[in-house]
Amino acid sequence: MVTVAQIAAKAFAAVAAKITDAIHPATLNWVEQGNYDPISGSYPETSRSVSGRVVEDSTKPVGDVFEGYVAGPAEVLVLMEGFTVAPKENWTITYAGKTRTVMKVQDIVAAGSLFYVVAR
């Protein structure tokens, strides 16, 4: 049986082959907080990242995907594919020479592999 992840990967690859500046390699970045260290009095932090691909959706209004969300002028709708970790709010996405902060996340068809995010 073909999975949503496989369909998305094929679709992104096909678009990338035809429109070279539409699909961008991307990195999803976040910081994990470890257990409290009583000696240092702090929580150690570890930077993490995973790679995938993104495309900015410049035609669909953010409110069509995130009902009731009012997007600011610097926010964009980003379609994410190929990431092995689901994005979370306040994580960052780096692509096409820019870094954006994830504001909202939607797992498309609850597949765990294709996401819409609002990014600032």
Side-chain angles (χ1 to χ4, degrees):
M1 176 181 262
V2 177
T3 67
V4 171
Q6 292 168 322
I7 294 167
K10 286 181 181 182
F12 267 62
V15 169
K18 300 283 184 186
I19 308 170
T20 57
D21 61 344
I23 307 288
H24 304 283
T27 305
L28 181 62
N29 310 287
W30 70 98
V31 174
E32 287 183 356
Q33 188 176 49
N35 294 325
Y36 180 73
D37 179 356
I39 295 170
S40 68
S42 64
Y43 294 88
E45 294 182 339
T46 304
S47 296
R48 303 278 187 212
S49 64
V50 293
S51 297
R53 298 183 289 186
V54 301
V55 62
E56 285 187 8
D57 188 340
S58 59
T59 59
K60 183 177 292 211
V62 172
D64 285 1
V65 178
F66 295 92
E67 189 175 327
Y69 186 84
V70 179
E75 293 179 331
V76 295
L77 192 58
V78 178
L79 183 59
M80 302 176 62
E81 180 275 329
F83 295 88
T84 57
V85 174
K88 293 185 180 177
E89 292 177 11
N90 297 314
W91 289 9
T92 62
I93 313 168
T94 302
Y95 63 95
K98 54 191 157 195
T99 298
R100 296 187 178 273
T101 301
V102 175
M103 306 306 293
K104 298 288 279 180
V105 177
Q106 182 183 100
D107 183 351
I108 300 174
V109 298
S113 60
L114 187 62
F115 305 93
Y116 257 131
V117 301
V118 175
R120 176 181 309 152

